[in-house]
Amino acid sequence: MALQVHLLACAFGLGSWVAVNGLWVELPLIVNALPEGWELPSYLTVIIQLANLGPLLVTLMHKLRPGRLNERAVICSVLAIGIASCILLVFFWDKTTVVAGASRSTAFFIITFFLSLVDCTSSVTFLPFMMQLPAKYITTYFIGEGLSGFIPGVFALAQGVGMAKCVNSSHTSGNHSGEEVWLLQTQYLPPNFSTQVFFSFLAAMMCISLAAFVGLNRLPRTYELSTENLVPDTVGTVSSGLDNPGAETDGKKSEQGGEEKSKPLLAEPQDSISQLVFMYLLVVWVNALTNGLLPSVQTYSCMSYGNLAYHLSAALASVANPVACTIAMFFQNRSLMFLRFLTLLGTVFGGYNMAMAALSPCPLLRGSALGEAIIVLSWLLFTGTLSYVKVMVGVILRDRSHSALVWCGAAAQMGSLVGSVTMFPLVNVYRLFKSGDFCNTECPL
């Protein structure tokens, strides 16, 4: 019986952030088909931030109408919306409409909003439900939550990417001379399986999560649901598209054993307050980088090196995130000096990624295997180091007090929002970053 519950808890956790993580690792194939092109990630970061409306409404219901919200019905609705959205993506992800005279991926954006709404709302509904079970099953749930980022990344690696090749094509000159003009054009070879199959896989994972939820509801109810202090914590640590939920909820898990140690912040000595402010600023900075600033320009940073570089950067970063969080669970280093060093290191990698985006479509070492390897490794280390920092700061703050962890979540949301809102006009209004065709872009030596 215990093994069955562990399996159900893990499968239930799969549905937490699988949709947004899946969308992100599929972008290397999507950006070549949708009219927004390389600007597409900057739209997604803003859409994911808007989807935090879901957890906000759930929290307000808990505050204004305590005990009136049927969490089981909310979870069923959330998972059903997720399944329906994934199925709709299969058929409508590439459908466009004309808005203000330009072709736009309206269907894709609307469906992405609902998928983001599902994943963001899961942060404040799934965990309270799991509190009905013993703590050992909550740990298994967090493993499933981490797999919601790991499995889509591995599946995307198996999918491969449409390798680009340059081919000569001819067309008739427009000067009525009938002269044929030969030009190089970029053609993308098909991946191992289509985008529709990938979205069907995401829908299947959401179905597995719903089935696991139904199975958990059929278990004997011997534990009381306790959400008195849980919901404010979870809404504070809601994370968007590109952030790994396991990193934030790891701190929440540990908090349950340390709430009795909580002390008011005003009772802390002045030097501790300065350390606390530093950690909050660290959270804002790290989340601004990982959830807004860098994801918005990942296409510009990687696509100039080719589709393969972008594909590996997105998929391996998705895998690195839960791996880094798992490492943080077993190998904890709470030294602020060490966390400063890791943050600086991650910022250096992020700075290199941003610099290559600014140099697009002619970044350093373009067209060489070394350049591709460096950009993939830079994105991998950028994600891994800063994911570890986020987990460890959460662990430190949960040992300090209940309210400290709540403010940590607020700082994370603030950083994510500031990062995505800052980059959107730079990419889409001022167009500081330039896209280019893989075959036709001529770069100086």
Side-chain angles (χ1 to χ4, degrees), residues 38-247:
W38 292 18
E39 299 173 355
L40 188 61
S42 63
Y43 284 91
L44 295 190
T45 55
V46 174
I47 290 173
I48 293 171
Q49 292 303 315
L50 293 176
N52 280 309
L53 176 66
L56 178 62
L57 292 177
V58 171
T59 303
L60 288 176
M61 281 294 297
H62 277 291
K63 288 293 186 182
L64 301 178
R65 301 279 184 172
R68 298 289 296 273
L69 186 67
N70 187 335
E71 289 185 335
R72 291 185 179 87
V74 172
I75 293 174
C76 276
S77 301
V78 162
L79 289 173
I81 292 173
I83 293 170
S85 298
C86 288
I87 293 174
L88 288 174
L89 272 180
V90 173
F91 300 100
F92 299 106
W93 72 271
D94 57 349
K95 304 302 180 184
T96 61
T97 57
V98 177
V99 178
S103 182
R104 295 294 179 188
S105 308
T106 311
F108 180 77
F109 289 150
I110 293 174
I111 297 172
T112 297
F113 173 77
F114 282 101
L115 284 177
S116 303
L117 192 69
V118 167
D119 289 1
C120 291
T121 307
S122 73
S123 298
V124 293
T125 53
F126 285 19
L127 188 58
F129 171 79
M130 287 301 300
M131 291 304 295
Q132 299 175 94
L133 303 176
K136 61 181 180 180
Y137 298 121
I138 298 177
T139 302
T140 309
Y141 165 80
F142 285 123
I143 294 175
E145 198 174 57
L147 290 175
S148 70
F150 182 84
I151 293 178
V154 173
F155 198 66
L157 289 174
Q159 182 185 22
V161 68
M163 298 293 294
K165 68 175 183 177
C166 301
V167 296
N168 273 319
S169 63
S170 63
H171 70 278
T172 303
S173 176
N175 58 9
H176 305 290
S177 64
E179 179 183 357
E180 280 192 339
V181 179
W182 290 85
L183 293 174
L184 279 177
Q185 285 190 340
T186 305
Q187 288 188 357
Y188 294 96
L189 301 178
N192 296 328
F193 50 85
S194 67
T195 300
Q196 287 85 347
V197 173
F198 187 88
F199 289 144
S200 299
F201 169 74
L202 295 184
M205 290 191 67
M206 296 292 291
C207 288
I208 291 173
S209 182
L210 178 58
F213 174 69
V214 173
L216 289 172
N217 272 289
R218 295 180 179 274
L219 295 174
R221 294 296 169 199
T222 57
Y223 296 90
E224 294 291 331
L225 178 64
S226 177
T227 60
E228 179 180 357
N229 291 323
L230 183 61
V231 171
D233 291 349
T234 50
V235 74
T237 51
V238 171
S239 174
S240 66
L242 310 177
D243 189 27
N244 179 56

Side-chain angles (χ1 to χ4, degrees), residues 6-17:
H6 277 297
L7 292 175
L8 290 175
C10 183
F12 179 50
L14 286 176
S16 56
W17 282 87

